[in-house]
Amino acid sequence: AQSVSQHNHHVILSEAASLELGCNYSYGGTVNLFWYVQYPGQHLQLLLKYFSGDPLVKGIKGFEAEFIKSKFSFNLRKPSVQWSDTAEYFCAVNPRGAAGNKLTFGGGTRVLVKP
Amino acid sequence: GAGVSQSPSNKVTEKGKDVELRCDPISGHTALYWYRQSLGQGLEFLIYFQGNSAPDKSGLPSDRFSAERTGGSVSTLTIQRTQQEDSAVYLCASSLDLAGAYNEQFFGPGTRLTVL
């Protein structure tokens, strides 16, 4: 079975600082990779996804993530955060070609951006 | 258009009681998922419905948990004889089910269940 690890449980940073959240997965086959975000009081929503092709993917709100196959990693980055980026971020995978699209999530990282 | 809706938003129950949680998916979405978000366990897959196929129940933690999807739309997650460890936020998601493609899951607001 696949598993997903997010190394940072809590991150606190100031506005304009750069953000990088780590995500590693464990799975023997090919996976689709995702980052979801949950803003305070809001639904979980998709931030970006990787299926194939260019390993550097860009998502909404200036976020990007890089898939490094050799490291089984899919780290999320944003060069300059804003107070509105305060949220909980979840990395997720699902095996490519598997019946259904059920997701395996990491434990989440709570990000607090101080104004 | 309307998103995924869930009811109730909050549920407090006593240990040993049964509870039912409801999910209304986005109209036209044939796939429906239940996940659980709890302290210490993160977000876990519970069950998946796809059209008229048999559901994938591989994530249900015990036989006290069951789910139905009537008419290919509304789904109910039932937890019998609730235990304190069932306390969590139960999330529902729905998606299209187009063959050969990843179909983005849209999540509802969740039901926060507290078992006293």
Side-chain angles (χ1 to χ4, degrees), chain B residues 2-6 22-33 69 72-75 92-95 106:
Chain B
V4 176
S5 61
Q6 293 184 244
R22 177 187 168 106
C23 172
D24 282 272
I26 292 173
S27 177
H29 281 190
T30 54
L32 187 147
Y33 307 79
R69 189 176 186 192
S73 181
V74 171
S75 177
C92 177
S94 71
S95 75
F106 293 85

Side-chain angles (χ1 to χ4, degrees), chain B residues 99-115:
Chain B
Y102 176 76
N103 299 281
E104 180 179 345
Q105 296 179 36
F106 293 85
F107 284 81
T111 293
R112 181 175 297 276
L113 175 66
T114 304
V115 182

Side-chain angles (χ1 to χ4, degrees), chain A residues 10-62:
Chain A
H10 292 90
V11 172
I12 302 173
L13 61 169
S14 300
E15 278 194 311
S18 63
L19 173 70
E20 180 160 359
L21 303 181
C23 172
N24 286 87
Y25 67 94
S26 172
Y27 182 67
T30 307
V31 295
N32 299 318
L33 296 151
F34 310 87
W35 276 96
Y36 279 82
V37 60
Q38 189 169 29
Y39 297 103
Q42 295 189 26
H43 306 183
L44 201 63
Q45 58 185 287
L46 184 65
L47 198 55
L48 49 78
K49 59 185 182 286
Y50 173 78
F51 294 159
S52 63
D54 188 344
L56 184 63
V57 292
K58 295 189 184 299
I60 60 172
K61 304 186 180 185

Side-chain angles (χ1 to χ4, degrees), chain A residues 35-107:
Chain A
W35 276 96
Y36 279 82
V37 60
Q38 189 169 29
Y39 297 103
Q42 295 189 26
H43 306 183
L44 201 63
Q45 58 185 287
L46 184 65
L47 198 55
L48 49 78
K49 59 185 182 286
Y50 173 78
F51 294 159
S52 63
D54 188 344
L56 184 63
V57 292
K58 295 189 184 299
I60 60 172
K61 304 186 180 185
F63 284 90
E64 65 180 30
E66 183 176 14
F67 171 50
I68 302 179
K69 188 176 181 179
S70 60
K71 295 184 177 180
F72 297 89
S73 71
F74 189 56
N75 293 352
L76 181 71
R77 299 193 291 253
K78 185 170 183 177
S80 177
V81 296
Q82 300 173 310
W83 174 79
S84 58
D85 294 321
T86 294
E88 189 162 15
Y89 294 81
F90 295 90
C91 183
V93 305
N94 84 298
R96 193 172 304 167
N101 292 319
K102 61 184 179 183
L103 297 165
T104 299
F105 286 90

Side-chain angles (χ1 to χ4, degrees), chain B residues 61-72:
Chain B
S62 79
D63 58 7
R64 296 185 295 104
F65 288 72
S66 62
E68 290 184 338
R69 189 176 186 192
T70 54

Side-chain angles (χ1 to χ4, degrees), chain B:
Chain B
V4 176
S5 61
Q6 293 184 244
S7 61
S9 55
N10 281 283
K11 176 71 176 179
V12 180
T13 190
E14 293 178 347
K15 179 181 172 181
K17 297 285 179 92
D18 297 351
V19 295
E20 286 189 349
L21 312 180
R22 177 187 168 106
C23 172
D24 282 272
I26 292 173
S27 177
H29 281 190
T30 54
L32 187 147
Y33 307 79
W34 283 98
Y35 294 88
R36 179 170 70 173
Q37 187 175 17
S38 55
L39 288 175
Q41 297 295 325
L43 266 160
E44 306 169 276
F45 165 78
L46 296 177
I47 187 169
Y48 157 62
F49 294 91
Q50 178 191 17
N52 296 321
S53 302
D56 177 348
K57 303 179 182 180
S58 60
L60 294 179
S62 79
D63 58 7
R64 296 185 295 104
F65 288 72
S66 62
E68 290 184 338
R69 189 176 186 192
T70 54
S73 181
V74 171
S75 177
T76 302
L77 177 69
T78 301
I79 309 173
Q80 295 178 309
R81 305 180 303 281
T82 52
Q83 303 294 312
Q84 288 181 333
E85 61 262 28
D86 300 334
S87 296
V89 177
Y90 289 82
L91 294 173
C92 177
S94 71
S95 75
L96 295 170
D97 194 26
L98 303 176
Y102 176 76
N103 299 281
E104 180 179 345
Q105 296 179 36
F106 293 85
F107 284 81
T111 293
R112 181 175 297 276
L113 175 66
T114 304
V115 182
L116 302 176

